[in-house]
């Protein structure tokens, strides 16, 4: 199984998490609805820290998604809030 981004690279972790979010239609719609992002806005903001923070915040706000993502990527779930804090710094 592929290894996820290192916790030292919160942007890469956020982009990987976004990929995971978008793989499920219902989860993707919920993400867009909750963040207020549009598909065009999301594409335009892929390199923005605010978008990365929104992705990690989405996972942090719903534990079942956070746990599912962490299990699928075989990472410690605590890496998500840790990466989010790094983006806030």
């Amino acid at each position: 199984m592929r290894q996820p981004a290192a916790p030292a690279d919160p942007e890469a972790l956020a982009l990987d998490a976004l990929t995971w979010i978008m793989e499920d239609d219902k989860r993707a719609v919920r993400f867009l609805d909750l963040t207020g992002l549009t598909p065009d806005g999301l594409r335009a903001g892929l390199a923005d820290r605010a978008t990365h923070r929104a992705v990690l915040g989405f996972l942090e706000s719903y534990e079942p998604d956070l746990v599912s993502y962490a299990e699928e990527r075989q990472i410690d779930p605590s890496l998500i809030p840790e990466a989010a804090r790094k983006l806030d710094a």
Side-chain angles (χ1 to χ4, degrees), residues 30-75:
R30 187 166 41 87
F31 171 75
L32 294 174
D33 287 346
L34 290 174
T35 61
L37 289 166
T38 63
D40 288 339
L42 182 58
R43 280 189 287 278
L46 285 176
D48 295 342
R49 280 178 91 91
T51 302
H52 300 161
R53 183 63 184 92
V55 169
L56 298 179
F58 175 79
L59 290 179
E60 287 181 294
S61 69
Y62 188 62
E63 188 174 355
D65 280 348
L66 184 140
V67 171
S68 292
Y69 171 72
E71 285 178 355
E72 188 169 315
R73 296 305 201 247
Q74 297 182 335
I75 62 171

Side-chain angles (χ1 to χ4, degrees), residues 12-30:
L13 184 65
L15 291 174
D16 182 66
L18 179 60
T19 299
W20 180 83
I21 290 165
M22 292 300 165
E23 289 172 349
D24 179 85
D25 289 340
K26 288 181 183 179
R27 190 171 45 233
V29 168
R30 187 166 41 87

